[in-house]
Amino acid sequence: MARTVPALIVGLLVVAAGIGLVTLRVNPYLYFAGYVILQYVVIATAWNILGGYAGYVNFGTPAFFAMGAYTSVFLIQSTRAPLPVLILAGGLVSALLGLGIGYLTLRLRGVFFSIATLALSIVLQTMIMNWEYVGGSRGLSVIRPSGPPFGNYVMFLFTVMVTLAVVAVVTARFIERSWVGRGLAALRDNEEAAECMGVPTLRLKLFATTISGFLLGVAGAPFPYYVTFVEPNSAFNLDYAVNALAMPMIGGTTSWVGPVIGAVLLGSAQQLATVTISSEMNLFIVGIVLVAFVVLAPEGLLGLVRRLRGR
Amino acid sequence: MAGALLEVQGIVKRFGGFTALNGVTLHVKAGERFGLIGPNGSGKTTLINCISGALAGYAGRIVFDGGDITTLPAHRRTRLGIVRSFQIPKPFTSMTLQENLDIPLEYAARERSQDAAADAAAILDSIGLGAKAHLKPAGLTQIEMRKLELARALAARPKLLISDEAMAGLSSAEVDDILAILFRLNEQGITIIMIEHIMRAVMRFCERIAVLDAGQLIAEGTPQEIVRNHAVEKAYLGE
Amino acid sequence: MFSWDLLANAVVSGLLLGGFYAAVSLGISLIFGLLEIANIAQPAFVVLGAYAAYVLNNAYEVDPILTGLAFTPVFYVLGAVVYRVYYESFERRGDEALRGLVFFFGLLFILEVSLSLKFGVDYRLVQTAYTKTSIEFGGVGIAFRYLVPCVIGIAMTLALYLFLSRTFYGRAIRAVSQDQQALRLMGVNPIQIKTIAFGVGIAAASLAGALLICIAPVIPSTDRDYIGRMFAITVLGGMGSIGGTLVAGIILGVAESFMATFFGPSWSLAVSFGILLIALAVRPAGLFGR
């Protein structure tokens, strides 16, 4: 517990820095881009709790992200709930989704979980496209609440996302260093041996899936207010699927640091690239980078650094 | 049955159309050194998997330490004190040897261990791996891997230790090494079930031996009785 | 709004579609069902095959089925190469669970985006003598563009079944999934066998792709529609059972056809996903699995 307090203090300092950055009122584009990069910090960190720590690959990140976003849309349309409620609700819905898919597939081999998540996004997208209340396939306009802190809603969302990123990273770090994290590492290394050594593998896997889903939903909840026009193709965008994999792979999957590095590097690169190359080219390059890292540097940048230092 | 630590009653296990175990019943007394032998494919590992909980979907009943554990998942059985080592070692590759032992100390033996780090170091020392405690399993030799398997099983504080072919492929001296460790553990009160093909180890170590062939128990008795048993001879050598 | 005509039509198109679905799933049935390699990039290879058929049909009016057949050696080699990379990078190191999966996802992604870059997102289709014609049979209309793929699909299933049960390499492939040691003792290299099997699986995608573009126009993201279907069929049919693949394909085809006829076409993907989840939850070994 003593080790968590310094981490929390650092986290609070980061949030304060975020707020400070906002009050400085630098180039407004920074806040738009910064929001996306921070969103990816949450997404990559969330993915890694299940993928890196437990070794179970979730290909359906868009499903969890979009369910967070569309839960928000639903609540905005029906109750005009405040942002904290939207975030919690989005997180809870995606957590339940994770628990559900996990419960159905985690007793089998890991590959079935992955295949189920792959099909999940596509099916959920189809279902949302048929739901008129949240806009269906045409999409829905969402009006930002008036009178935001800092006078500008995007700047406010920027600070919200800073906070969410800190929460996600602190959570991941806490899990990683706890007995849960050690159990997850054991089941990642050899699930059969872990179970025979007393590790309740099913329970831990369900825990990881639920937390991961929760954080992904939390990342998606502010999305409607960020884009102001929500439609299924953007909420379920394949970008989320491939980036959620590439960022932890590039940074390194065994620690909370890896997804952060990957999100900042790859996210920034993509933000810079969107003005110069087409989004398809961007995706193509991310795909190549992902395969290159998986084949040549499976332990990511963290692993390379460790190797250079000589262990 | 009184005095029995483990009772296996009428275990039947099928894989699709293939019956691996066809009604196996046996018991192991507390503190005993018990041997389980049989030709390849006779169902020894399947039986062990059913006892340890690695396999489900079998018919029959398993009673351990007075309690019915038939439907318990594997990790619960480990916590109760049934620990098995694996024929092909399955170490946690991303962790050091010490950390490998921390897992069972933390998860299986929590109530029974005061200072995990010291316990892990002590177990590694007692088994001869103390010097490598802070290394990862990748650089270990064959016998060191087997010792790690045993060490990890020990860290789970077993009442019943199932050693699944821990000596396969080892040299004569190495076999004696492992045998000495197992004797020592038994002296400390741990009941041991040994599955082995190396007959001299089985003969020296076991007080009682059960012989499986094609999923059925064909003989049970002391080493001397088993050696003279005609059915056993037939199972191993054919007619 | 129910009528016997509608029902009959739904059943017939479902059966025809099922034969095609079986063809599309043969590659995965082999690679995932028998070799237990989760090649989630398979649908992208099928779409690649579809585009190959499109290009030759568009430029030289070549029948797509011919293109599909002609390209099987090319796809075979491609599959062999992909397997070697997979083996060297992951299977040998025991890393296939996490990184092998991600590798195939990356491959799926790269293939889809490459097609997008090259061909854009317009729907592409083929023109043949039979794409527009149909025959009447007992009051039900049967379109040739459904019938031909179904018949070829059944033929492919039969061919693969015979290959696996009657030829040396086919039986070796069956054996490699059960006992690699025994194969080695017989002097056969399991890696070579798996390379052949993977190659055959990808080669099947070439022909399946040609059938796909006969049935309906394609765009690069068509692969996503088939991920759920392929795995649902393989799991439902039973891992490693070629006959099971055909049966499961037909079940899925009919189920989807019913949903589409009575509830609207947008729910068809939910059908395959539902079948996949139910099969995994209730009987992961499938209908005919080992």
Side-chain angles (χ1 to χ4, degrees):
Chain A
M1 223 31 194
R3 291 182 296 188
T4 324
V5 173
L8 287 173
I9 294 178
V10 171
L12 283 169
L13 286 174
V14 172
V15 175
I19 295 176
L21 199 63
V22 162
T23 52
L24 284 176
R25 282 171 199 278
V26 295
N27 183 347
Y29 179 69
L30 193 68
Y31 303 114
F32 278 95
Y35 178 90
V36 175
I37 295 174
L38 288 166
Q39 183 184 262
Y40 272 123
V41 169
V42 181
I43 290 176
T45 304
W47 184 94
N48 200 48
I49 290 175
L50 186 59
Y53 295 173
Y56 277 77
V57 182
N58 178 1
F59 289 125
T61 310
F64 294 88
F65 179 83
M67 282 321 282
Y70 272 97
T71 304
S72 273
V73 170
F74 178 79
L75 288 176
I76 292 170
Q77 290 294 91
S78 55
T79 64
R80 279 263 132 202
L83 190 58
V85 174
L86 299 179
I87 291 175
L88 253 135
L92 278 169
V93 168
S94 288
L96 282 171
L97 183 63
L99 187 62
I101 291 287
Y103 191 77
L104 287 173
T105 60
L106 286 176
R107 268 176 274 229
L108 308 166
R109 277 183 288 144
V111 70
F112 289 114
F113 170 77
S114 299
I115 292 168
T117 58
L118 193 56
L120 179 67
S121 291
I122 301 157
V123 169
L124 273 178
Q125 184 170 357
T126 312
M127 284 166 56
I128 294 285
M129 291 211 275
N130 282 302
W131 193 13
E132 288 307 316
Y133 187 69
V134 292
S137 53
R138 280 172 295 109
L140 191 74
S141 268
V142 161
I143 306 194
R144 295 170 176 163
S146 55
F150 313 111
N152 176 313
Y153 209 81
V154 173
M155 292 193 197
F156 169 60
L157 282 182
F158 177 81
T159 58
V160 168
M161 204 39 93
V162 171
T163 315
L164 292 178
V166 167
V167 166
V169 171
V170 168
T171 307
R173 184 176 176 279
F174 183 71
I175 291 176
E176 182 185 326
R177 292 171 174 233
S178 70
W179 57 276
V180 172
R182 287 191 284 273
L184 288 173
L187 84 87
R188 175 197 61 214
D189 281 353
N190 197 308
E191 192 164 329
E192 201 187 350
E195 177 74 24
C196 285
M197 288 292 123
V199 178
T201 55
L202 182 61
R203 223 179 300 159
L204 286 184
K205 284 190 282 191
L206 288 175
F207 172 75
T209 323
T210 309
I211 291 275
S212 181
F214 179 80
L215 289 173
L216 287 173
V218 156
F223 183 72
Y225 282 146
Y226 177 73
V227 289
T228 66
F229 182 75
V230 187
E231 46 102 27
N233 282 325
S234 66
F236 284 91
N237 196 333
L238 211 59
D239 276 26
Y240 296 120
V242 76
N243 279 326
L245 261 67
M247 288 168 180
M249 286 284 156
I250 290 173
T253 54
T254 48
S255 147
W256 62 271
V257 182
V260 175
I261 294 177
V264 170
L265 282 179
L266 193 58
S268 312
Q270 288 184 312
Q271 287 297 307
L272 290 170
T274 40
V275 287
T276 46
I277 57 178
S278 72
S279 63
E280 256 114 22
M281 199 50 172
N282 175 20
L283 283 184
F284 180 73
I285 294 175
V286 175
I288 300 276
V289 168
L290 173 64
V291 174
F293 262 87
V294 162
V295 172
L296 300 169
E299 283 166 23
L301 291 173
L302 276 186
L304 289 175
V305 164
R306 243 180 268 141
R307 209 87 57 94
L308 285 173
R309 278 217 203 127
R311 182 92 56 191
Chain B
M1 164 160 309
L5 180 63
L6 175 73
E7 265 188 77
V8 170
Q9 296 167 359
I11 298 293
V12 178
K13 176 64 186 164
R14 280 184 251 270
F15 293 103
F18 171 63
T19 304
L21 295 172
N22 198 359
V24 175
T25 297
L26 51 82
H27 69 275
V28 179
K29 300 199 258 266
E32 200 173 20
R33 295 190 302 273
F34 191 85
L36 183 62
I37 66 174
N40 269 319
S42 51
K44 305 188 296 292
T45 304
T46 308
L47 182 62
I48 294 311
N49 283 336
C50 290
I51 294 174
S52 69
L55 275 180
Y58 54 83
R61 209 165 149 246
I62 302 180
V63 179
F64 179 73
D65 210 7
D68 190 326
I69 64 165
T70 313
T71 53
L72 283 188
H75 69 269
R76 292 272 289 280
R77 300 188 197 196
T78 309
R79 289 193 198 160
L80 287 175
I82 302 179
V83 184
R84 51 94 55 97
S85 68
F86 285 94
Q87 195 173 342
I88 303 169
K90 295 177 195 272
F92 300 129
T93 46
S94 73
M95 308 180 194
T96 65
L97 264 56
Q98 171 115 4
E99 289 165 345
N100 260 272
L101 266 59
D102 282 337
I103 296 287
L105 279 170
E106 206 158 16
Y107 277 91
R110 212 168 343 170
E111 310 86 53
R112 306 195 279 275
S113 167
Q114 266 81 29
D115 180 358
D119 285 346
I123 294 175
L124 286 173
D125 277 331
S126 76
I127 217 163
L129 288 173
K132 301 202 170 181
H134 298 289
L135 296 179
K136 295 209 181 141
L140 292 182
T141 65
Q142 260 284 24
I143 184 170
E144 285 172 334
M145 286 281 235
R146 305 292 178 81
K147 286 187 175 180
L148 178 61
E149 274 294 299
L150 278 180
R152 211 173 49 174
L154 281 180
R157 299 278 181 243
K159 293 183 187 171
L160 169 65
L161 173 65
I162 305 175
S163 159
D164 191 357
E165 296 198 41
M167 303 171 198
L170 297 182
S171 74
S172 194
E174 290 169 338
V175 167
D176 288 331
D177 200 347
I178 301 279
L179 213 49
I181 295 172
L182 290 176
F183 266 115
R184 213 168 3 125
L185 296 178
N186 182 250
E187 275 158 37
Q188 290 166 14
I190 300 176
T191 310
I192 299 185
I193 297 180
M194 168 190 275
I195 301 175
E196 269 309 336
H197 283 295
I198 300 175
M199 280 306 132
R200 73 172 177 90
V202 174
M203 291 298 151
R204 268 181 58 199
F205 183 78
C206 303
E207 292 167 319
R208 227 165 28 100
I209 300 175
V211 186
L212 277 187
D213 185 29
Q216 288 191 305
L217 196 64
I218 59 170
E220 196 179 330
T222 65
Q224 292 72 31
E225 289 167 355
I226 293 299
V227 153
R228 290 194 300 261
N229 189 304
H230 186 60
V232 174
E233 202 186 307
K234 211 169 74 177
Y236 272 100
L237 302 174
E239 280 290 9
Chain C
M1 207 217 80
F2 178 83
S3 79
W4 287 111
D5 256 353
L6 213 55
L7 182 67
N9 264 298
V11 171
V12 171
S13 17
L15 289 173
L16 295 176
L17 203 57
F20 161 67
Y21 281 164
V24 152
S25 308
L26 284 177
I28 273 289
S29 194
L30 185 55
I31 294 174
F32 183 55
L34 277 181
L35 300 183
E36 304 202 327
I37 299 175
N39 173 19
I40 53 187
Q42 184 78 9
F45 284 106
V46 172
V47 174
L48 185 66
Y51 270 90
Y54 161 74
V55 166
L56 286 186
N57 180 267
N58 195 31
Y60 307 113
E61 293 186 7
V62 179
D63 184 281
I65 313 278
L66 287 177
T67 314
L69 282 168
F71 268 81
T72 41
V74 177
F75 274 63
Y76 176 85
V77 171
L78 185 60
V81 168
V82 168
Y83 176 72
R84 287 292 173 150
V85 173
Y86 170 79
Y87 173 72
E88 294 295 330
S89 315
F90 312 105
E91 214 174 272
R92 208 153 60 124
R93 301 188 209 158
D95 221 351
E96 57 271 38
L98 175 67
R99 309 203 189 277
L101 263 183
V102 176
F103 168 71
F104 282 119
F105 179 78
L107 215 54
L108 170 80
F109 198 71
I110 291 174
L111 279 170
E112 184 184 315
V113 177
S114 305
L115 286 173
S116 205
L117 283 169
K118 179 97 176 80
F119 295 99
V121 292
D122 294 320
Y123 275 94
R124 308 287 175 178
L125 42 83
V126 289
Q127 310 275 21
T128 66
Y130 47 84
T131 34
K132 299 259 168 58
T133 57
S134 58
I135 56 171
E136 276 282 322
F137 190 79
V140 178
I142 300 182
F144 266 108
R145 73 166 212 285
Y146 274 92
L147 185 60
V148 172
C150 175
V151 169
I152 296 186
I154 295 178
M156 278 171 76
T157 310
L158 194 60
L160 189 61
Y161 178 77
L162 289 174
F163 170 69
L164 287 175
S165 52
R166 301 288 165 87
T167 70
F168 172 74
Y169 280 112
R171 277 187 298 218
I173 291 171
R174 273 211 182 280
V176 84
S177 62
Q178 285 165 23
D179 195 344
Q180 291 202 24
Q181 266 297 76
L183 268 187
R184 280 208 189 86
L185 289 173
M186 280 167 32
V188 178
N189 181 359
I191 309 306
Q192 189 205 17
I193 298 299
K194 289 206 236 185
T195 309
I196 293 175
F198 205 94
V200 170
I202 302 296
S206 169
L207 191 49
L211 301 180
L212 171 62
I213 199 169
C214 280
I215 288 205
V218 297
I219 48 172
S221 61
T222 305
D223 58 354
R224 304 186 212 165
D225 296 346
Y226 283 88
I227 294 171
R229 288 179 179 139
M230 281 186 190
F231 283 98
I233 288 173
T234 303
V235 171
L236 181 64
M239 302 277 275
S241 165
I242 301 299
T245 303
L246 184 57
V247 173
I250 290 175
I251 292 177
L252 181 65
V254 173
E256 274 195 21
S257 189
F258 266 77
M259 276 305 260
T261 306
F262 296 110
F263 296 100
S266 44
W267 290 101
S268 45
L269 286 178
V271 173
S272 54
F273 186 62
I275 288 182
L276 175 64
L277 285 184
I278 293 172
L280 286 178
V282 169
R283 189 175 156 73
L287 295 170
F288 301 98
R290 338 175 235 141

